[in-house]
């Protein structure tokens, strides 16, 4: 990729992208999203907007008003929920590529992007340049139709954001259970679950779903689930609804893994019972 890239946005994704592209010796102009980035903005063949979703369309408008776009240029953003249509104007080609990773603490190295899926949506003419760009980062390009993008984004939120929520709920329960740590080992309560979470993720990677499922529902252990419900009713009734809903979803997986219909029906009654 000989043409220079113009990257707008110095947040988590913008910073990670900027440092990876510089490491790869790609000619790059990197500007913050806010402020006066327009007056001396250079022309570029590929312009990437890495600002918060609600500002993407405004930044795109500013770019269209500037002289940054050459004929046949490509304009892209990284949002998982927005369509590339928000970038349209002045006849350039538009696309979005959503890196399927959580950038809470990007290391600022190309390893931030190594092997991760980038979900492409946009103009057909943009597929090749997008693929080239993703290859530079070390990622893999996948395609999605514009109309299905929001569904894909909901899936990503369930897998990542809701996992954080679940760990937070588990940590709150553990606090009520009164697990105490030796002072010298004092740490955040959620860290307690890291070995369990890591092994579960490894199991999913190695064995897939439902193979990776373990626990009382998978084993058809009626008495343990009964005791869980009793304990939650008494100590954390606010969590019971979530336990029941996720328990019923887990039961479907347990059934797929081989739990008998009889055991499954008993557990279903127990989990549904208010
Ligand atoms: N973080 C992730 O895990 C992740 C993953 C995949 C995709 N993405 C996507 O990547 C893009 C950037 O996300 P991010 O996590 O890097 O965001 P971020 O860390 O919150 O940074 C957002 C950037 O947008 C700038 N900005 C905010 N309001 C603006 C405005 N009104 N006009 C111009 N610039 C403005 C901010 O500038 P200031 O610093 O001056 O406020 C900041 O540089 C988003 O489209 C997001 O959906 C993020």
């Amino acid at each position: 990729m000989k043409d220079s890239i113009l990257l707008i946005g110095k947040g988590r994704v913008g910073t990670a992208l900027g440092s990876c592209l510089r490491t790869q010796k790609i000619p790059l102009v990197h500007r913050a999203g806010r402020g006066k980035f327009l007056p001396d903005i250079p022309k570029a063949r590929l312009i990437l907007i890495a600002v918060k979703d609600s500002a993407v369309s405004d930044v795109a408008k500013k770019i269209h008003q500037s002289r940054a776009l050459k004929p046949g240029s490509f304009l892209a953003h990284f949002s998982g929920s927005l369509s590339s249509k928000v970038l349209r104007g002045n006849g350039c080609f538009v696309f979005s590529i959503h890196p399927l990773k959580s950038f809470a603490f990007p290391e600022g190295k190309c390893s931030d992007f190594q092997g991760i899926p980038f979900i492409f949506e946009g103009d057909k003419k943009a597929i090749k340049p997008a693929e080239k760009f993703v290859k530079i980062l070390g990622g893999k390009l996948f395609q999605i139709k514009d109309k299905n993008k929001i569904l894909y984004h909901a899936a990503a939120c369930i897998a990542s954001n809701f996992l954080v929520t679940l760990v937070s709920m588990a940590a709150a329960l553990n606090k009520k259970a009164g697990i105490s740590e030796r002072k010298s080992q004092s740490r955040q309560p959620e860290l307690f679950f890291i070995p369990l979470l890591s092994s579960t993720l490894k199991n999913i990677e190695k064995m897939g779903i439902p193979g990776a499922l373990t626990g009382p529902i998978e084993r058809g252990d009626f008495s343990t689930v009964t005791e869980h419900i009793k304990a939650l009713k008494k100590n954390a009734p606010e969590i019971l609804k979530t336990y029941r809903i996720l328990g019923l979803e887990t039961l479907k997986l347990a059934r797929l893994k081989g739990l008998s219909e009889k055991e499954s029906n008993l557990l279903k009654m127990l989990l549904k019972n208010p």
Side-chain angles (χ1 to χ4, degrees):
M1 197 169 276
K2 283 179 198 152
D3 290 312
S4 106
I5 293 177
L6 173 60
L7 172 62
I8 311 286
K10 292 193 172 180
R12 288 161 293 188
V13 170
T15 304
L17 281 169
S19 63
C20 176
L21 293 171
R22 274 190 294 274
T23 312
Q24 302 280 334
K25 310 256 184 280
I26 303 293
L28 174 75
V29 176
H30 191 181
R31 297 281 161 85
R34 267 189 239 268
K36 296 176 180 167
F37 69 85
L38 282 177
D40 61 339
I41 200 168
K43 277 195 168 33
R45 183 129 172 92
L46 177 59
I47 302 181
L48 305 165
I49 302 177
V51 300
K52 70 173 184 180
D53 287 6
S54 58
V56 168
S57 126
D58 275 355
V59 170
K61 272 183 202 140
K62 285 185 187 169
I63 287 167
H64 283 295
Q65 286 157 7
S66 76
R67 294 178 177 189
L69 290 159
K70 294 181 189 178
S73 286
F74 297 90
L75 184 58
H77 70 67
F78 297 93
S79 165
S81 59
L82 290 178
S83 160
S84 61
K85 283 180 186 157
V86 300
L87 302 172
R88 286 230 178 279
N90 288 357
C92 65
F93 300 111
V94 297
F95 65 98
S96 66
I97 34 168
H98 181 241
L100 188 53
K101 180 172 170 172
S102 174
F103 292 87
F105 280 107
E107 287 182 34
K109 292 179 186 160
C110 282
S111 54
D112 281 328
F113 302 99
Q114 202 60 46
I116 67 167
F118 280 77
I119 316 305
F120 170 96
E121 159 282 318
D123 290 335
K124 271 190 184 153
K125 287 239 168 156
I127 295 178
K128 274 198 175 159
E131 205 157 30
K132 221 169 163 183
F133 174 67
V134 168
K135 206 172 164 193
I136 290 171
L137 299 175
K140 289 177 185 167
L141 196 86
F142 292 77
Q143 278 181 258
I144 192 165
K145 285 186 182 146
D146 181 19
K147 63 175 181 167
N148 295 334
K149 204 175 161 185
I150 197 69
L151 197 58
Y152 147 75
H153 193 246
C157 286
I158 291 173
S160 172
N161 309 155
F162 291 5
L163 179 62
V164 177
T165 311
L166 284 176
V167 175
S168 156
M169 288 167 87
L173 264 188
N174 236 8
K175 206 172 166 195
K176 292 195 183 198
I179 290 185
S180 59
E181 288 191 55
R182 288 156 62 93
K183 270 186 191 164
S184 59
Q185 294 167 344
S186 171
R187 53 187 187 165
Q188 289 162 267
E190 55 272 23
L191 295 185
F192 188 76
F193 291 96
I194 294 296
L196 177 65
L197 287 163
S198 304
S199 58
T200 306
L201 290 179
K202 273 190 193 127
N203 290 343
I204 293 175
E205 196 175 1
K206 272 193 195 156
M207 305 163 76
I209 295 173
L213 185 67
T214 58
I217 293 181
E218 183 255 359
R219 289 191 294 270
D221 190 346
F222 188 86
S223 57
T224 301
V225 179
T226 306
E227 291 305 315
H228 283 176
I229 291 175
K230 266 194 213 162
L232 289 173
K233 265 186 186 162
K234 191 173 167 201
N235 299 290
E238 70 284 0
I239 285 179
L240 195 54
K241 197 173 166 193
T242 310
Y243 183 93
R244 288 187 191 282
I245 292 170
L246 292 180
L248 287 167
E249 288 302 316
T250 306
L251 193 55
K252 289 180 196 165
L253 298 181
R255 188 82 178 94
L256 284 177
K257 204 180 163 187
L259 187 69
S260 74
E261 193 175 356
K262 191 178 162 197
E263 286 171 307
S264 170
N265 284 341
L266 283 172
L267 279 168
K268 196 185 279 179
M269 278 200 311
L270 177 63
L271 287 162
K272 275 190 171 170
N273 203 355

